[in-house]
Amino acid sequence: MRGELTDQTYAAAGHLEAFVDEHYLDACAHAWEITSELAQSILDAVDGDGVDPADEHRVHCLDWLRRAATYRMLPRSTHVATSSAGALAPTVDLLRHAASAYPRFIESATSGWSVLFAGEGMRLWNSYFHSRNGLYRPLNAAAVATVTQTLRTGGGTQILEVGAGTGGATSHLLAEWPRDLASTYDYTVTDTSASLLAATRRTQREQAPSNVRLEFRRFNFDLPDDQGLTRGSFDLVLAVNALHNAADLPLTLRNLRSLLRPGGTLVLSESLCAPGDLVHQELIFNLLPLPADAYRRGSRFYAEAMWRAHFDAAEIDATIQVNAMGPELVMVASATKGQP
């Protein structure tokens, strides 16, 4: 029934602008300068005519590289300060690592999995999703700001995070945990990857405040069954830059809703890509398989309008915030499950 999740967000109005500001847009423009140069260098090194036209993935990657090589964000009024170079390094390092593998990837001599999830690639991947990465931090920070305000207003004690990956959002939430909360909280951290989950467990157990009990378990948000989780038992479900990978997004949203108790809150943040636009991080993520409809859309990331359509299809009324400055880049959404 539509409206089961009603518009009852606890997020402070306009808090997204605290994270996506002029400085952030300047950093994005700088990242695009590097990305465009890398895209052109890849095109100079590969034989695009040698790609099998039936290989939809690699054809998409070549088309994206051609567009990216000439892409420019709107000119910014300032340059990124030298002191900020360290904050951009996790993105720039992973961009360069990915670019170095593209010729072999285009020739089908290697896979994106082996490039990004082994050796140096895995180390850079972990660093990319941490809040020390200035270009990724807004995704963690916006979600955590919403979560902490929910907790402060009596939002319950049972928390589930899905698609935790390398634990970037987990780490940010534990670091920003409201120290004045006296209750004991159960925080269940999940991902489909056993190896990523094990690494997150190793790094996060020592971060947890004394009143937060961490549990780590595998959970695939694409599957319709509860996989051992109890439906209607969580006060808060969190997903940071994960759900755009869902095979059936409305179905996934409904499944996550079913895990919430009445009055529980769904919080998610996501990278955005406006229709026909590009985002620099896709030079990295295009090495990985894309959802089938992403080829038609031109991006694995959704635009704001598409997110609204998917929430509607899932019969969820959500409050959605998108950065007001610059192109569509970051979204935070929340919705609270109504009483039966």
Side-chain angles (χ1 to χ4, degrees), residues 33-84:
E33 291 174 5
I34 295 170
T35 301
S36 295
E37 292 173 1
L38 292 172
Q40 186 59 60
S41 70
I42 296 166
L43 292 171
D44 292 341
V46 302
D47 176 15
D49 294 333
V51 174
D52 182 355
D55 188 338
E56 193 172 27
H57 185 189
R58 285 173 172 79
V59 169
H60 168 83
C61 287
L62 278 173
D63 178 66
W64 189 93
L65 289 167
R66 293 183 183 110
R67 295 175 62 202
T70 58
Y71 184 92
R72 299 292 182 272
M73 278 188 66
L74 291 175
R76 305 301 304 163
S77 59
T78 61
H79 294 287
V80 177
T82 303
S83 60
S84 300

Side-chain angles (χ1 to χ4, degrees), residues 151-214:
L151 296 175
R152 285 186 180 281
T153 52
T157 62
Q158 303 299 307
I159 302 168
L160 171 67
E161 182 180 354
V162 301
T166 62
T170 314
S171 176
H172 195 118
L173 176 54
L174 293 175
E176 297 289 327
W177 192 267
R179 304 296 169 171
D180 57 328
L181 296 179
S183 300
T184 297
Y185 293 81
D186 293 303
Y187 184 179
T188 304
V189 182
T190 71
D191 196 82
T192 58
S193 168
S195 60
L196 289 180
L197 203 57
T200 300
R201 181 191 293 113
R202 286 194 300 271
T203 58
Q204 301 308 319
R205 278 204 181 277
E206 299 303 317
Q207 278 201 45
S210 59
N211 63 329
V212 177
R213 298 183 297 212
L214 289 176

Side-chain angles (χ1 to χ4, degrees), residues 78-276:
T78 61
H79 294 287
V80 177
T82 303
S83 60
S84 300
L88 303 185
T91 292
V92 174
D93 290 347
L94 189 54
L95 283 169
R96 295 192 185 283
H97 176 77
S100 70
Y102 257 92
R104 290 179 292 117
F105 172 77
I106 294 296
E107 294 168 2
S108 300
T110 191
S111 71
W113 300 106
S114 62
V115 171
L116 297 173
F117 298 123
E120 180 68 358
M122 188 75 253
R123 184 188 71 80
L124 296 172
W125 183 266
N126 286 334
S127 295
Y128 177 87
F129 292 99
H130 197 279
S131 291
R132 287 188 296 268
N133 179 1
L135 282 170
Y136 192 81
R137 178 180 174 84
L139 289 156
N140 291 335
V144 167
T146 304
V147 169
T148 55
Q149 290 190 47
T150 302
L151 296 175
R152 285 186 180 281
T153 52
T157 62
Q158 303 299 307
I159 302 168
L160 171 67
E161 182 180 354
V162 301
T166 62
T170 314
S171 176
H172 195 118
L173 176 54
L174 293 175
E176 297 289 327
W177 192 267
R179 304 296 169 171
D180 57 328
L181 296 179
S183 300
T184 297
Y185 293 81
D186 293 303
Y187 184 179
T188 304
V189 182
T190 71
D191 196 82
T192 58
S193 168
S195 60
L196 289 180
L197 203 57
T200 300
R201 181 191 293 113
R202 286 194 300 271
T203 58
Q204 301 308 319
R205 278 204 181 277
E206 299 303 317
Q207 278 201 45
S210 59
N211 63 329
V212 177
R213 298 183 297 212
L214 289 176
E215 179 186 358
F216 297 84
R217 61 185 300 162
R218 295 184 72 181
F219 178 76
N220 185 343
F221 55 65
D222 273 335
L223 300 180
D225 61 287
D226 55 28
Q227 301 164 67
L229 299 177
T230 303
R231 295 183 185 275
S233 65
F234 290 96
D235 299 295
L236 191 145
V237 174
L238 170 67
V240 175
N241 214 32
L243 298 190
H244 63 266
N245 291 310
D248 184 334
L249 185 50
L251 177 62
T252 293
L253 290 170
R254 287 193 291 269
N255 290 341
L256 295 181
R257 172 181 61 191
S258 74
L259 295 171
L260 287 168
R261 65 164 178 81
T265 303
L266 172 66
V267 176
L268 62 92
S269 67
E270 282 285 343
S271 295
L272 297 178
C273 183

